[in-house]
Amino acid sequence: MPRIHLVSNLPGVSALGDHLRAAGLGPTSARSADALLVLIDRPLDSVEQELLDRARQSVPVLLAGPTVRALPSDSPLVEASGLIPGHTTPPHELRLTAGPDGVGLAARLGEFRPVDSWVVPDKLADDVQRLLLVRHEMAEHPVCTWRPSTGLGMFTLGTSASTLADPAYHRLVGRWLRHALGQHDAPAVGVGLLGTPTTSAVHHAAVEATEGLKLVAVCDGATSRAQATPGVPASSRPADSSARRVDEPEDLLADPEVSLVIVSTPNHTRAQWATRALEAGKDVVISSPFCLTTQEADDLALLAAGRSALLAMYPERREDPAYLAVRAAVRRGALGDLFWLETTQGGYHRPPGGWRDDERISGGLVHDRGFGHLDWVLDLFDEPVEWVSATAHKRVWHHVTNADHARILLHFVSGAEAQLTLSAVSTAPAARVHLLGSAGSLFSEDPVPGWAGPHGVDDDHPAGAARARAGGRHASRGGTADPGQAGIAAGPLTIVTHDGTRIRLPQPAGTPHAFHRALADALVSGWPLHGYRVDSARRVVAVAEAATRSAASGGVQIGPA
């Protein structure tokens, strides 16, 4: 693995260094480095000649952020870079596009729009590669370059604190380093989907839309079910899909073209099929809920580690706009120290009676309906859970075995607490969230009346798959008709600080298929898959398992395993 030496005096650059380290790109000393990365806001003086000497020794030298504008106009580094800097723009939102030489660098970039200033070039040498461009005054100008003849590169973004802290910027810098070192992405990874028509639908669309992933085979029982269901097409996959239809799971696992298996079978079989996929030499992604016990999670982790295979969880609720807005507010300290969270999810909803409503198959209400919500609660409180207490009620829907209503209380080691309520019998509008911190509160305002209805669509019915493909991941039971599948907040989000200031939070749209883009980066570029690995999944499994045991015991406090 290449080793990078990072030189910087900028506050906040440590996050970039951590990211490069996790990606296997450093750190090391300047003398033994395979590439040098410089982000500095003062003249380099005597160091300039040393950097030129290293570049002549085939050690790429990349100058980023304010480094370019700190250099004197007669700097030999400027001449060697082939980019003669002109004026500097004021900070503004930028939309980056791939230059003629930067298609690989910009792969799976998504909607990265930093607010930053940059240097408009006065002149660019003919042999300079233009990797990333921005449009300015009716023309496109490079902000990221590489000149192979001299071993110098320039990336004039990275002057603002927000850009330096952005993971998308870290990723671009890492890919810029890889480009300069002559490293390229591996071929697209063959993907096999193993699940039901509806649970596989979101992955079907995402894989086919993600560069670096190639959908090879689908085993979801859709063909046989469609033949038995009047009026349903013979296949649930899109007509333009090139993926093969596989009738038996064993045939999918034995397919040599399938390198990655995405498991979204009924919950109680996910650990079983993930185990068989790992044993077949495949990388594995498991939809949430990841599995039903910590023993299953530990066994899977041990097996994956022994085979050097990727094992990750697809977190279905991490791309929810309300979650993204809440997470950003908590991360930037808008609430101070977070010590209380309360959220209610659900409504009045007659369960359709599919496998998700059978606690023997789904694992129960907490695992199936609560797992995604517990995932984002645990992400907001980045500390161990001391104990869990839960209660459950069976009052109305006696045609199914899942509980009608459940309450889960998490007590963290700091004394902070979080309470999650899941309900299929609440006639009042739900999907509410309320957070308390030492500096203020965040809450969701009343949702729009009528946002949830009383009926849903069976998750294991082909019609549900069609709706899921048309309406996205939360449409699997008839869109918002199933309150248990709604986002974390149906109404607008507002922060109220202790001085009475009210701030309405914008809810970002997010990056489409963000998980699948990160997955492709991990598999074809060797990039770290932060936040999705089995250790993150196991934490949620442990809390869901403890809550299920607590509810069965009348609400006793149980520490997660």
Side-chain angles (χ1 to χ4, degrees), residues 152-484:
L152 263 293
M154 297 281 197
F155 194 2
T156 58
L157 296 186
T159 62
S160 70
S162 61
T163 301
L164 282 173
D166 196 316
Y169 178 73
H170 304 162
R171 178 185 178 278
L172 283 177
V173 171
R175 293 184 73 86
W176 180 39
L177 284 161
R178 283 168 48 87
H179 180 90
L181 290 164
Q183 295 189 339
H184 305 287
D185 285 352
V189 172
V191 179
L193 302 184
L194 179 59
T196 70
T198 299
T199 59
S200 296
V202 63
H203 298 293
H204 199 143
V207 169
E208 292 197 324
T210 302
E211 180 182 355
L213 302 179
K214 179 183 179 182
L215 188 58
V216 172
V218 178
C219 181
D220 60 10
T223 303
S224 59
R225 292 184 60 89
Q227 291 171 347
T229 307
V232 175
S235 173
S236 69
R237 64 187 171 93
D240 59 351
S241 173
S242 61
R244 295 191 298 273
R245 176 66 59 187
V246 179
D247 291 330
E248 298 298 330
E250 291 80 2
D251 294 337
L252 183 143
L253 299 184
D255 192 328
E257 293 186 28
V258 173
S259 299
L260 168 72
V261 177
I262 300 180
V263 178
S264 54
T265 57
N267 300 348
H268 72 316
T269 65
R270 289 184 181 179
Q272 168 196 340
W273 286 114
T275 297
R276 295 184 64 173
L278 289 168
E279 291 174 343
K282 314 297 186 183
D283 293 317
V284 173
V285 168
I286 307 176
S287 294
S288 64
F290 185 76
C291 59
L292 300 183
T293 68
T294 51
Q295 184 62 59
E296 289 177 336
D298 291 340
D299 290 345
L300 287 169
L302 186 63
L303 179 59
R307 295 177 177 264
S308 299
L310 179 144
L311 176 62
M313 176 183 74
Y314 168 64
E316 61 175 348
R317 299 194 182 279
R318 298 266 190 98
E319 298 173 22
D320 180 82
Y323 163 75
L324 294 174
V326 171
R327 186 180 190 273
V330 171
R331 288 288 185 271
R332 68 174 180 267
L335 304 181
D337 294 328
L338 183 63
F339 63 86
W340 172 253
L341 182 151
E342 181 177 6
T343 181
T344 300
Q345 302 295 325
Y348 190 83
H349 165 72
R350 187 183 194 278
W355 63 263
R356 286 195 181 279
D357 302 312
D358 185 339
E359 65 179 358
R360 297 168 301 174
I361 300 175
S362 68
L365 183 66
V366 172
H367 279 283
D368 190 72
R369 296 290 186 255
F371 197 95
H373 298 295
L374 287 172
D375 176 49
W376 65 257
V377 169
L378 291 172
D379 183 53
L380 295 177
F381 290 91
D382 189 18
E383 58 176 295
V385 176
E386 187 173 8
W387 53 259
V388 179
S389 173
T391 56
H393 296 269
K394 189 66 180 174
R395 306 279 180 166
V396 179
W397 308 123
H398 297 289
H399 65 293
V400 297
T401 54
N402 272 6
D404 297 337
H405 182 95
R407 188 272 309 162
I408 309 166
L409 178 64
L410 283 64
H411 185 86
F412 296 89
V413 294
S414 68
E417 293 182 313
Q419 180 170 284
L420 169 62
T421 301
L422 307 166
S423 186
V425 294
S426 175
T427 56
R432 299 174 181 272
V433 62
H434 184 201
L435 289 77
L436 292 177
S438 59
S441 302
L442 185 155
F443 65 97
S444 62
E445 300 180 25
D446 289 339
V448 176
W451 73 276
H455 303 293
V457 174
D458 192 334
D459 276 317
D460 202 25
H461 192 284
R467 293 198 184 191
R469 289 196 308 275
R473 65 187 183 282
H474 296 314
S476 63
R477 293 171 63 95
T480 53
D482 177 10

